[in-house]
Amino acid sequence: MKRVLLFVALVCISLSTFAAKPKFEVKHLEPLSWWVGMTTPLQLMVNADGVSAYDVAILPEGQGVELKAVHKADSPNYLFLDVAIASDAQPGEYLLRFSNGRTKHDVKYRIDERREGSRERQSFTNADFVYLIMPDRFANGDASNDNTDDTAEKVDRSKPWLRHGGDLQGMIDHLDYIADLGATAIWSTPLLLDNENGASYHGYSCSDYYRIDPRFGSNELYRTYVEECHKHGLKVIMDVVPNHSSTTHWWYDDQPFEDWTHQWDSYTQSNWTFSTNMDFNASKADLYQMESGWFDRSMADMNLDNEYLLNYFKQWAVWWVEYADLDGFRVDTYPYNEKRPMSEWCKSVMAEYPNFNIVGEVWTSSIPQLAYWQGGNYNKDGFNSHLKSIMDFPLHDAMRSAMCEGGGDGGWGQGMTRIYETLSHDFVYHDLQNMMIMADNHDTERIGDVCDGDVRKLKIVHTLLCTMRGMPQMLYGDELLFRSSDRSMGHPTLRCDFPGGWAGDEKNLFDKSQHEGDAKVLYDYIRKLINWRKSKEVIHSGKTLHFIDRDNTYAFFRYNDTDVVFVYVNNSGREHEIPWERYEEISADLFEGVDVVTGETVTMKGYKVAPMTALVVEFKR
C-alpha cells in the first residue's frame, strides 16, 4: 500500500511539475515581416521568456533566406537574429525554429515580394501643400472603436485634454474635403498606439511601434487610408518619434539592454538646449543632459547609441514605408536624438528610397542653428545630418510677430520688416526648396488666435504661405478661422474638434454650403490660392527678389525665365500706392498682369492697395 501511495505521489509531483512549466511563446517578433530586394539589413528582435537559452534555425533551407548570426541581449528574454535575404530568394512563409535540446517550437515569418517601383517612390516636395491633421480631433468615422478593452484611456469629449474619438475612418471619410481645398499632402500626428492613462490623444508617447492605436483603427485600415489618399491625389507623411517611447511600452519593464533607454538615479529632464550640438564652448555634461534627459516623466528617452536599438529604428521606418506605401516622414523633436546615430538613420532610409523626403522638427528661432541640421549644410565640425528638410521656425516667428503689429506704421525691425530680415538670411541655408514653412502647427498657438480672428490678417498670412519659397503647411481648420476655446488651457483647446466630424454636431463645416461670415470669406480665399499654387512652377522653384520698406509693407517677386509673380502686402492701417518704378530692375518690362484672386487684368503703375490687404499678380515674360 505504501508503495502504491508513493508511486501516486511521484506521479502527481511529476504531473504538477509538467503542468506548471510554461509553454514557450514568442510574444513579439519585429519587424512583423520583410521583403525580398531590400537594401536595409534585416535584424529580427525576438521577445520570449527565456529565449536566450534556445538555438535558432530558419526553415526551409536553400530558399535564399539564411540566418547569419544570433546575438544575446542583457535580458534573457531577447534574441537578435541577423538574417540575410538573397536577391533571388523565394517570397513566402518561413519558419523560425527554436529548440533547446528537448523541445522544438516553430514560428511563422513572412518574406514578401516587394511592391513594383517601391525603391523609386516619389515624396513630398516644395510643389506640395501640406495639411496637418490631429486624428483624435478631426472626425469620428467609427464610434465602435472609441473605447477598447486593451487600452487604458476612454473617450470623454467634454474634457479637452482627454480623447475625443477621431479616427482613421473619419479621415478617410473627409479626404474629398481636403483634396478640394487644394492640399496635396497630409501630415497627421502619430497614429501608433499610445496607451497612457491620460492625455494619450496626441500620440507622441508610443507604446508599440508596430501597431496602429486600436482607437484609431488597425494596421490594415491605415494601409487602406494611404491607398485612399493616393486615389485623391494626396501624399501621406507619417509622424515618427525615435527620441522617446512611452513608459507603457511593452518592453519598458524588461528592456533588452541596460542602456536601451537613458537611465538616471532620479528623474532628469532634458535641458532643451540643442545648441550644445554645435557650440564649441558647450560642456559635455550639458550635451549629455540635452540628449539623454527625458522629454517627460511618461516618455522614456531612447538611447540611439545602442546599435541594436538604432537597427531597430532603421528597420521600423523602412517597414512602415514598404508596408503602407508611405510618401514621407516628419520626425518629432529631431535634435533631441543623438545626432550621429540619427544621421545614420536618415542615411539608411534614403539609401532604401533615394527620392524620399524626411522633414525634421528643429524648433529654434536661430537661423544658423536651424541650418546646421539640414543635410549637406557646411558645418565647421564636419557633421552631416542627412536630414533632407527642416521646419522653418524663424519664419514662423517672424510672420506671427508681423501680424501682431498689423495696422501700425511699422518701422525698423517691426511689422513686415521682420519677414524681410528673416528671408535676408536665406544665404545661410543649404537647400531653400526643402524647408517646411508654416504659421502654426499643433504645438503652437493657432494663427487664428494670434491674429485675434481678424480675417484680413489671416488672408495676409496665407498669401505668404502660398507664395514664398519652401513647402507650406497648414493646421486643420485654419482655413475656417478655427480658434482655441480657452487659450489659457494651451494645447488641449487649440487642438479643437472639427465641427461635423461627430454625429450630432450642430454644424458640419466639411459641407461648404454651411460656411458663413468671415469663415466663408477666408475659406474661399485660401482655397483659391492653394489650388492656383498647384501648377505654378515659378512658385515651386523660382527665385525670389524682395524690396525693403519701413512702412509695414512688403514687396517681393517670384520669377523664372517665363513667369513672374508679384506679391505686395500692405500690413499697415492706411492705403499705399505701389511704387512700381522702384522695382524697375525686374518690373521694367512688366505692364499688365492678372490678379490671382479676382482674375482681373491690372496695371501696376499707380495701383493702390487698401490697408491690411495682400495682392498677388502674375505676369508672363
Side-chain angles (χ1 to χ4, degrees), residues 108-305:
K108 296 177 181 178
Y109 194 77
R110 181 127 196 118
I111 306 290
D112 288 313
E113 188 173 358
R114 197 173 185 185
R115 182 182 287 106
E116 185 177 354
S118 177
R119 175 178 170 78
E120 293 76 26
R121 71 181 60 239
Q122 299 301 304
S123 192
F124 63 96
T125 70
N126 57 334
D128 288 302
F129 194 101
V130 181
Y131 194 75
L132 167 57
I133 290 174
M134 190 149 232
D136 182 65
R137 306 301 165 91
F138 191 64
N140 189 347
D142 182 3
S144 70
N145 64 14
D146 285 358
N147 304 304
T148 66
D149 293 338
D150 57 349
T151 53
E153 189 179 7
K154 309 305 177 185
V155 161
D156 185 348
R157 240 184 127 193
S158 69
K159 296 181 175 61
W161 58 89
L162 298 182
R163 297 190 83 100
H164 290 188
D167 52 30
L168 275 166
Q169 189 59 55
M171 293 161 65
I172 293 170
D173 292 344
H174 298 293
L175 292 177
D176 284 340
Y177 170 86
I178 299 170
D180 181 69
L181 179 64
T184 56
I186 298 177
W187 154 30
S188 76
T189 54
L191 287 153
L192 297 178
L193 176 64
D194 183 332
N195 204 20
E196 293 179 284
N197 289 323
S200 67
Y201 71 92
H202 56 73
Y204 284 98
S205 191
C206 183
S207 303
D208 191 327
Y209 284 97
Y210 282 94
R211 185 188 182 195
I212 295 294
D213 194 305
R215 291 161 293 189
F216 291 140
S218 63
N219 287 12
E220 293 76 15
L221 186 61
Y222 182 65
R223 187 153 59 173
T224 298
Y225 158 71
V226 176
E227 183 180 349
E228 291 300 313
C229 282
H230 291 167
K231 289 178 182 177
H232 284 78
L234 295 163
K235 299 173 184 177
V236 177
I237 302 169
M238 188 181 196
D239 202 335
V240 297
V241 193
N243 178 67
H244 49 265
S245 70
S246 175
T247 53
T248 64
H249 194 287
W250 60 261
W251 64 36
Y252 182 71
D253 292 328
D254 179 23
Q255 298 179 30
F257 294 92
E258 292 179 2
D259 64 350
W260 192 252
T261 61
H262 290 117
Q263 306 294 325
W264 299 81
D265 292 336
S266 60
Y267 175 71
T268 302
Q269 203 165 44
S270 174
N271 57 24
W272 321 114
T273 312
F274 54 79
S275 61
T276 53
N277 280 285
M278 70 284 293
D279 178 5
F280 290 165
N281 304 311
S283 68
K284 291 181 180 179
D286 285 343
L287 174 60
Y288 182 76
Q289 184 175 346
M290 197 289 300
E291 290 181 337
S292 306
W294 285 28
F295 202 79
D296 190 85
R297 288 184 180 275
S298 64
M299 298 176 177
D301 198 76
M302 308 308 297
N303 178 20
L304 297 184
D305 284 324

Side-chain angles (χ1 to χ4, degrees), residues 423-493:
L423 294 182
S424 74
H425 289 83
D426 275 357
F427 70 91
V428 175
Y429 296 114
H430 169 67
D431 183 0
L432 288 171
Q433 303 305 323
N434 278 299
M435 298 181 68
M436 182 172 281
I437 63 174
M438 66 282 177
D440 63 2
N441 63 31
H442 62 293
D443 281 331
T444 70
E445 278 195 297
R446 276 195 176 268
I447 191 61
D449 292 329
V450 172
C451 294
D452 201 25
D454 189 332
V455 71
R456 299 172 303 168
K457 293 181 179 181
L458 291 165
K459 281 184 174 183
I460 290 174
V461 166
H462 289 92
T463 299
L464 293 171
L465 287 177
C466 287
T467 56
M468 289 192 294
R469 88 296 188 264
M471 301 171 287
Q473 167 258 299
M474 179 173 65
L475 178 61
Y476 75 98
D478 281 352
E479 72 277 12
L480 285 164
L481 202 57
F482 278 22
R483 299 185 65 184
S484 303
S485 58
D486 183 348
R487 293 176 73 177
S488 68
M489 297 183 67
H491 288 168
T493 56

Side-chain angles (χ1 to χ4, degrees), residues 368-382:
Q369 287 187 33
L370 177 60
Y372 178 89
W373 294 101
Q374 190 173 35
N377 194 59
Y378 172 74
N379 294 320
K380 287 187 176 180
D381 60 1

Side-chain angles (χ1 to χ4, degrees), residues 353-382:
Y353 307 104
N355 302 315
F356 206 68
N357 203 346
I358 304 171
V359 59
E361 180 197 32
V362 183
W363 196 340
T364 178
S365 58
S366 167
I367 291 172
Q369 287 187 33
L370 177 60
Y372 178 89
W373 294 101
Q374 190 173 35
N377 194 59
Y378 172 74
N379 294 320
K380 287 187 176 180
D381 60 1

Side-chain angles (χ1 to χ4, degrees), residues 508-556:
N508 177 15
L509 294 185
F510 290 113
D511 179 359
K512 287 190 292 184
S513 69
Q514 296 190 34
H515 297 173
E516 56 187 12
D518 282 348
K520 174 176 171 52
V521 170
L522 182 63
Y523 175 88
D524 290 344
Y525 183 86
I526 291 174
R527 179 175 177 271
K528 177 78 174 180
L529 281 177
I530 297 177
N531 279 284
W532 165 81
R533 185 188 185 277
K534 278 184 180 180
S535 62
K536 298 301 172 182
E537 183 62 32
V538 64
I539 300 297
H540 305 162
S541 60
K543 296 179 180 179
T544 300
L545 177 67
H546 64 173
F547 294 82
I548 190 167
D549 281 297
R550 307 289 185 185
D551 54 6
N552 215 355
T553 66
Y554 182 45
F556 65 94

Side-chain angles (χ1 to χ4, degrees), residues 491-507:
H491 288 168
T493 56
L494 74 88
R495 299 163 176 174
C496 49
D497 295 349
F498 200 115
W502 280 256
D505 283 357
E506 291 183 8
K507 286 187 176 181

